[in-house]
Amino acid sequence: MQPDASFVPDVSFVIAAYNAEATLDRAIASAIAQKDVSVEIVVVDDKSRDATLDVARAYPRDIVRVVALASNRGPGGARNAGLDAARGRWIAVLDSDDAVFPDRLAKMIARAETAGAQIAIDNLQVIREDGVVEDAMFPREYLEGLREISLATYIAGNVVFESKFNLGYLKPIFQREFLNENGLRYDEKLRIGEDYILFAEALAKGGKCVVEPDIGYAYHIRSGSISRVLELHHVEAMRKADAVFAQTHQMDEAAQAAFARRSRSLRKAASFLSMVQHIKARSPLKAIRTALSDPAAVRHMGMPIAVRLRRMAAQFAVGVGR
């Protein structure tokens, strides 16, 4: 059955999927199970090399709409394709290896529309790769105290290396009309941090974000997930995106202070990851030069890395003395 083109659902779930054949059914099933809201599900296959596309196309077309990309565009590009295809009043991005609880969207939409907000967030349940359910990602009291998230609060909650989980892990829902009117889409050059920039831009454009403190999103940790492996080129791309953000958007004093703090954290992270690269490549001189050029970055070094750097430096010194 073909979907009714005139139907405007309450929410469009956008699921960007790449090599997700093992988990996609779980994500789709959780979207279908939403209570008290009408939904459409848009699955974007990002040129997967496994059976992801077959899994998505196994559903009736009036339940799951499938967009098959001709080439791999990365998480931001795949989500943008989903946003372009979506018809719902609200957009909910759902990662293909995660799931949502049945009353999530009804709660979030009700809270947002009562407050006249264009964005809403809620808490996340952390589930380990072995299936063990951990605590909520954020203490309920913390989210209850926030009530709303400002640009300054959001930027301050995205300082690299300061906590296990930062506010960049939040999974907001957006009014589709608000995104379209403001030309808001994901930065396709980013493989990590694309969620942060879109959320920050939405806040900078005047979007009001309310907080639903209940847990509505099941976040599954995977050891191989790109979001869990931070590399130097990711950080450099994030720094470039932040520079563009600062040139494009106005920030109040509190947001500017938070932005400066985040910028320092990204610089330190870049120096730290550069040192790690040099150590792995057995280039102690380059590692030492990096450490000397940014001493604050050394604070990020775990004891095993610090010990290894000192040992390599000592070995190099012995070699030079011969």
Side-chain angles (χ1 to χ4, degrees), residues 21-267:
E21 63 175 341
T23 60
L24 183 56
D25 277 323
R26 179 178 64 200
I28 292 174
S30 72
I32 292 173
Q34 290 301 292
K35 297 177 180 178
D36 302 321
V37 290
S38 57
V39 305
E40 73 163 356
I41 301 166
V42 180
V43 174
V44 182
D45 177 65
D46 197 17
K47 197 64 176 177
S48 296
R49 293 174 293 177
D50 64 1
T52 295
L53 189 56
D54 294 332
V55 172
R57 284 179 170 165
Y59 291 86
R61 281 183 285 180
D62 61 330
I63 296 177
V64 176
R65 295 167 58 208
V66 179
V67 178
L69 298 183
S71 60
N72 182 273
R73 289 172 54 181
R79 289 173 184 165
N80 283 343
L83 292 180
D84 292 341
R87 299 175 308 212
R89 294 188 301 110
W90 288 86
I91 299 288
V93 171
L94 173 58
D95 288 349
S96 60
D97 54 348
D98 292 337
V100 286
F101 295 113
D103 57 353
R104 182 188 191 231
L105 268 297
K107 284 183 179 180
M108 295 178 78
I109 291 174
R111 184 175 288 269
E113 293 184 343
T114 298
Q118 297 78 34
I119 314 165
I121 62 96
D122 62 352
N123 210 342
L124 300 89
Q125 181 72 66
V126 180
I127 302 175
R128 290 188 346 210
E129 195 167 19
D130 58 8
V132 173
V133 177
E134 295 189 344
D135 294 335
M137 186 173 287
F138 302 100
R140 182 185 178 89
E141 313 80 66
Y142 169 69
L143 293 184
E144 286 177 335
L146 281 179
R147 302 177 68 89
E148 293 183 15
I149 292 184
S150 67
L151 178 59
T153 298
Y154 186 63
I155 296 175
N158 278 276
V159 176
V160 180
F161 286 163
E162 283 209 354
S163 60
K164 181 179 180 182
F165 297 113
N166 58 42
L167 296 185
Y169 282 90
L170 293 173
K171 301 295 184 180
I173 65 170
F174 298 96
Q175 270 189 351
R176 184 172 64 88
E177 184 179 12
F178 175 77
L179 292 179
N180 290 341
E181 286 180 348
N182 289 282
L184 293 170
R185 289 294 187 269
Y186 288 94
D187 185 338
E188 299 190 18
K189 296 186 296 295
L190 293 174
R191 294 289 173 134
I192 288 184
E194 75 282 357
D195 296 308
Y196 164 78
I197 285 292
L198 179 67
F199 198 164
E201 287 185 330
L203 294 170
K205 290 283 189 178
K208 179 179 180 179
C209 178
V210 293
V211 178
E212 168 55 61
D214 285 347
I215 296 172
Y217 193 100
Y219 176 77
H220 290 258
I221 294 177
R222 288 187 303 120
S223 57
S225 171
I226 191 171
S227 65
R228 307 294 299 172
V229 183
L230 189 63
E231 297 179 0
L232 180 58
H233 64 93
H234 295 139
V235 175
E236 295 295 358
M238 291 162 68
R239 294 179 75 186
K240 289 179 181 178
D242 273 21
V244 172
F245 178 87
Q247 294 169 0
T248 308
H249 301 285
Q250 294 289 327
M251 290 182 279
D252 61 23
E253 187 174 340
Q256 288 178 9
F259 185 86
R261 186 173 158 214
R262 171 177 158 85
S263 296
R264 289 193 295 271
S265 78
L266 287 174
R267 188 202 73 224

